[in-house]
Structure formats: structure tokens, C-alpha cells
Amino acid sequence: MTATEAYRQLCERSKEMSHMGSALGVLHWDQRTHIPPKGHGYRAEVLSTLAGMLHKMATDAAIGELLNVVEGTDIVEHPFTVEAVNVREWRRMYDRAVKIPQRLAVELAKAAAEGQSVWEQARPENDWPRFKPYLERIVSLKREQADALGYEDEPYDALLDGFEQGETAKTLEPALATLTSALVNLLDRIQGSTRRPDPSFKHRYFPVPEQESFAVMAAQRMGYDLAAGRLDVSAHPFTTGIGPSDVRITTRYTEDYFNEAFFAVIHEAGHALYHQGLPTEHWGTPFCGPISLGINESQSRLWENMVARSFSFWQHFYQEARKRFSVLSDVSLEEFYFSVNEVTPSLIRVEADEVTYNLHVLLRFQLEVALCRGDLKVADLPDAWNEKVQSYLGMTPPDYARGVMQDVHWSGGAIGYFPTYALGNLYAAQFYAKAQAELGDLDVLLEKGELGPLLEWLRRNIHSQGRRYLPRNLVKTVTGEDPDPRFLIEYLNRKYGSLYGV
């Protein structure tokens, strides 16, 4: 068999698995948005069956044989061509997949489906005892998965590498330590400031239909194509790329809190823009996919924070907001801007301000590492969680729903995911600084509501590149520098130093 024929067969197999992945994506989306309450048990069985089928496809020995034919040939001579990238990623996925026994793959899928459905019911009822055994099962299986995959230093590294290729707990710690020190310092200065926004402005009555229409309008202005997507409600906002022209987002609404739904929609639309901007002519192969969760998160955080929380953004959009929400008629632009950017330690990560957000991520990262090592038992997790929240944020959660049970990730088996949020913030600030250097003063564009130039820059430099570069290499290719927390630190000090006069 020629290398060309082997590559063609690999493409065909890859597209078949992508179709299976799309089917699973629809079922997962439905489970989190529209499934009848009594449908969760059977859905877990369906998802585990399909996951088992997909695992069989991914671990077929023929894939290894085809890769052996292609590797070392002219097809992969230049490492950044589409073909070479596909082969590199196929090899990585195959080598990881074959280490996972079929039984474990099925059990992981079923445990995640069951855990997520129980979490969605138990969290609103603050029922930790009901959720605990499901989380214990998930943690046990994830530790087994880490052992199967193998690692050098930490069991956690095997799981983290599935979300952020090439990263380990050890490589993350210096950047996280630098960032944490700077954030604690900035937070201390802010808390010592006499300047305070009026938080009530964002807690007035905002009718849900108007919130939805306003957020959708802003997402479309960003470039989100609703003909290739949709917005729904879920217990926890998320984005799912089901196919090349089907990228769906969700949010959740609170009538007396503007920030929750609006910034969640902008955040998820940022993810969706990345998916909609991928090189879809290569759909079904690894090249047409986000390279990592950190890079993916950089896109959502860039739009949510650098753009939608900026003064220049609201210089353009605030007039429209006041038309839609009469409760803002007596609130000036400056007052509203300060209110939606209020810095105050809070319990809920997804509602946290830019300064304290990464402290939420850090405590989860530390707890995940301890769980994977076996140093922390799930039964002791609530107390450990509360201790870290008190240490970093000076607060103690009054219940499980606003403490250890607030995030969906662990219920779905996504252990090793949280550090990508911090990396996303670091990457976002570095990308935004480079875009500013190349496009000119972005504030001038935002004041005019001209979001297209920034999207075009992101499409050209990041989205269209698919998985050509590994995360750190992509950052260096785009910005000319290795990932560096100073860009985020400088951005936060500049913005909040001005707001709070510190």
C-alpha cells in the first residue's frame, strides 16, 4: 500500500469517527438543554454504548498500521502542512486511545452521563450526599485512566495533557504563582481604595426576553452566525461544535442580575466564533479543530473581558441597552461601566470579576491535583474547598451549591480542565496586545461598534490555523513571544488601577 492510499484511508476513518462524535454531541447537548427529567437514565446507557463503539473505532489496529505506512514519508516531510498535522494528531490520539481498555472507556462515559444528570438535579437542591457517590466513582475512574495513560511526575499530568497538550502541573506552577502574587497585590490595593461602584445598577429588573434579544444582537455584531448556531438555556453555559455549520451556545438567566446572562453569551459566542472560523474544508480531520482548551478559552475570555467589559464597547452599545432596559434611564455610562466591572470577592467562579477569577481557578487546580494523587478524598472535598475559598477570597460558602457543587466539570469527568481557564486568560491578554499593535487603537474601533477587524485578525492568525501549531508554539508564532503572564498582569493593573485609582 502506498503512503498516499494509507493517508486517504486515514481521512475516511477520521471522518467516520467525526460523524459519530457529532451524534454524541447532539445527544450531550440535548441532555443538558431539553431532555425530559425521566430520560436521563436511558440516555446514560445510549451514551455509554456509543462511546464504546467510538472507542473501538479509534483503537482499531488498522489505524496503527496505516500510520506506520505514512510516517517517515514525503507526506509528513514538512511538519506544519495539513497532512503532517493530521498524521501527528492521529498518532497522538491513537496512542492515547489504545492505552484505555474498552471497559474503562464505556464506564467513563456512563459515569459522566449519570454524574452530570444527578448534578443538575442535586445542585439546586444543595444535595451533596446524593451527588457524592457519583463523584467518587468519577474520580476513581479518572485515576484509573491516568494510570493507564501513564505519566512521569503527577497522575494529574496525564489528564491535563488531554485538554492542554504539552502542559504539566510543573510547567503551569511558575506562571500561576506569578499571576497569583500579582492578583493578590492588586486585590489588596483595590480593597483599600475609597472608590466604589454602585452594585445595584446591575441588579435591577432586566426582563429575560429583553436580555436574550440584547445578548443575541451583540453576539451577532461580533460575527456569530445564527444560521449556523443557536442559543438555548442550560444549568451551566457551554458551547458545542456539532458540525462545520452547527455550533450551539447556551446561557442561563437571572432577572435581577444583568451580568450573568449577557457576559455568558458573549463568552460562549467567543468560543463559537473560534469553531465557526476553523478551516471547514478539512472537517472530519484533526486539522479542523481547536488545538487546546486554553487557546479555545482565550477566544471566549478575549471577547468577554477585553472587548465586552471595556469602556469603549459600552460607549457604542450603552445607548441601545438603555432603550431596551428602562431601569437604566437614570444611570450614566460611567456608572454602568464601573458597576459591571466591580471587583469584589465572590463565591461563584462564572460570576467572578477579572481580578479574582484566576484565584477561583487556582484553588480548583490544587484540589484536582490532590484528588488525583489520592491525598484528598471526595468525602473531604467540601471542607477542603471551603478552606481554600477562605484562604484566597476571605469567604466561606454557606452551602454546597455555592461551594463545591457549583461547577459542572467534575460531574462530567472533566478533571484536568480548570487550568485551561487561567491559560486562556494569559493567552487572551497576549493576543489582544498583539492585535492592538497590528490593528491600531482598538478602542477607536470599539467605540464605533466595528468588531469586524478584530474578528478578521483572530480568524487569520488563530482560527484558520486549526491544529497546525501546539498551544505554546501558536502563541509564539502569533505574538513573537513565549506565553507570558505579564501581559495579563499589565492589562489588569492598567484597567483596574484607573477604575479604582490605585
Side-chain angles (χ1 to χ4, degrees), residues 196-230:
R196 288 289 182 274
D198 185 342
S200 69
F201 298 147
K202 60 179 181 284
H203 289 289
R204 294 181 175 183
Y205 175 65
F206 298 91
V208 168
E210 285 299 328
Q211 285 193 56
E212 180 179 7
S213 65
F214 183 63
V216 167
M217 178 274 295
Q220 288 181 293
R221 291 286 299 276
M222 288 165 55
Y224 179 49
D225 182 3
L226 272 177
R230 56 181 290 133

Side-chain angles (χ1 to χ4, degrees), residues 156-205:
Y156 188 75
D157 295 343
L159 305 179
L160 172 62
D161 190 63
F163 298 110
E164 198 69 16
Q165 195 174 156
E167 294 294 344
T168 65
K170 186 180 292 186
T171 61
L172 289 178
E173 283 167 355
L176 291 179
T178 299
L179 182 59
T180 300
S181 176
L183 292 177
V184 169
N185 177 274
L186 177 56
L187 181 59
D188 285 344
R189 286 184 282 128
I190 288 172
Q191 292 182 315
S193 172
T194 57
R195 293 188 189 178
R196 288 289 182 274
D198 185 342
S200 69
F201 298 147
K202 60 179 181 284
H203 289 289
R204 294 181 175 183
Y205 175 65

Side-chain angles (χ1 to χ4, degrees), residues 177-196 338 341-345 353-359 392-393 485-502:
T178 299
L179 182 59
T180 300
S181 176
L183 292 177
V184 169
N185 177 274
L186 177 56
L187 181 59
D188 285 344
R189 286 184 282 128
I190 288 172
Q191 292 182 315
S193 172
T194 57
R195 293 188 189 178
R196 288 289 182 274
F338 200 178
N341 281 288
E342 177 188 19
V343 173
T344 183
D353 58 77
E354 290 183 89
V355 176
T356 61
Y357 182 90
N358 287 293
L359 299 177
Y392 288 126
L393 299 168
R486 70 180 171 84
F487 291 95
L488 179 59
I489 293 169
E490 289 172 359
Y491 159 75
L492 292 173
N493 274 296
R494 184 170 58 251
K495 177 177 178 177
Y496 290 96
S498 175
L499 275 171
Y500 282 90
V502 295

Side-chain angles (χ1 to χ4, degrees), residues 53-359:
M53 293 169 63
L54 184 58
H55 186 261
K56 284 183 180 179
M57 295 169 71
T59 57
D60 189 333
I63 293 178
E65 295 168 3
L66 292 169
L67 286 169
N68 288 336
V69 173
V70 174
E71 290 169 333
T73 69
D74 291 347
I75 290 177
V76 296
E77 181 179 359
H78 302 290
F80 299 121
T81 62
V82 171
E83 294 79 10
V85 170
N86 280 333
V87 171
R88 181 194 76 204
E89 293 298 309
W90 281 326
R91 170 57 72 184
R92 166 183 160 77
M93 290 186 288
Y94 178 74
D95 286 350
R96 282 179 66 90
V98 296
K99 292 177 181 178
I100 305 299
Q102 176 78 5
R103 170 201 57 80
L104 179 57
V106 172
E107 289 185 17
L108 279 166
K110 186 174 183 180
E114 291 176 340
Q116 189 168 289
S117 64
V118 170
W119 172 84
E120 289 184 358
Q121 299 167 48
R123 179 180 179 267
E125 299 172 1
N126 196 40
D127 193 349
W128 167 255
R130 181 182 178 189
F131 176 58
K132 180 171 76 72
Y134 290 88
L135 184 56
E136 287 175 331
R137 176 65 174 155
I138 288 167
V139 170
S140 175
L141 290 171
K142 296 303 287 187
R143 291 182 64 191
E144 186 178 348
Q145 181 185 21
D147 288 339
L149 290 169
Y151 52 86
E152 290 186 11
D153 298 317
E154 293 275 1
Y156 188 75
D157 295 343
L159 305 179
L160 172 62
D161 190 63
F163 298 110
E164 198 69 16
Q165 195 174 156
E167 294 294 344
T168 65
K170 186 180 292 186
T171 61
L172 289 178
E173 283 167 355
L176 291 179
T178 299
L179 182 59
T180 300
S181 176
L183 292 177
V184 169
N185 177 274
L186 177 56
L187 181 59
D188 285 344
R189 286 184 282 128
I190 288 172
Q191 292 182 315
S193 172
T194 57
R195 293 188 189 178
R196 288 289 182 274
D198 185 342
S200 69
F201 298 147
K202 60 179 181 284
H203 289 289
R204 294 181 175 183
Y205 175 65
F206 298 91
V208 168
E210 285 299 328
Q211 285 193 56
E212 180 179 7
S213 65
F214 183 63
V216 167
M217 178 274 295
Q220 288 181 293
R221 291 286 299 276
M222 288 165 55
Y224 179 49
D225 182 3
L226 272 177
R230 56 181 290 133
L231 173 65
D232 292 276
V233 176
S234 64
H236 191 101
F238 69 95
T239 299
T240 182
I242 292 171
S245 54
D246 188 352
V247 184
R248 308 178 187 190
I249 65 175
T250 72
T251 191
R252 61 189 182 198
Y253 298 96
T254 301
E255 288 190 327
D256 61 354
Y257 187 37
F258 175 83
N259 282 26
E260 182 171 43
F262 180 79
F263 290 109
V265 169
I266 300 303
H267 179 101
E268 301 304 334
H271 282 303
L273 289 175
Y274 187 10
H275 285 266
Q276 290 183 340
L278 291 168
T280 55
E281 65 272 21
H282 301 293
W283 176 259
T285 68
F287 191 87
C288 182
I291 184 55
S292 75
L293 269 295
I295 297 297
N296 206 333
E297 191 66 19
S298 77
Q299 302 307 285
S300 59
R301 298 295 282 180
L302 183 150
W303 284 103
E304 177 192 357
N305 293 328
M306 281 79 184
V307 175
R309 290 185 189 270
S310 71
F311 185 73
S312 52
F313 176 90
W314 288 108
Q315 280 181 297
H316 180 81
F317 283 94
Y318 191 55
Q319 184 176 357
E320 180 64 27
R322 293 178 75 177
K323 288 180 182 178
R324 292 172 181 263
F325 306 110
S326 59
V327 292
L328 296 176
S329 61
D330 64 335
V331 182
S332 70
L333 167 62
E334 290 75 15
E335 290 171 325
F336 177 80
Y337 167 67
F338 200 178
S339 182
V340 299
N341 281 288
E342 177 188 19
V343 173
T344 183
S346 60
L347 294 170
I348 306 299
R349 175 187 60 84
V350 296
E351 298 172 7
D353 58 77
E354 290 183 89
V355 176
T356 61
Y357 182 90
N358 287 293
L359 299 177

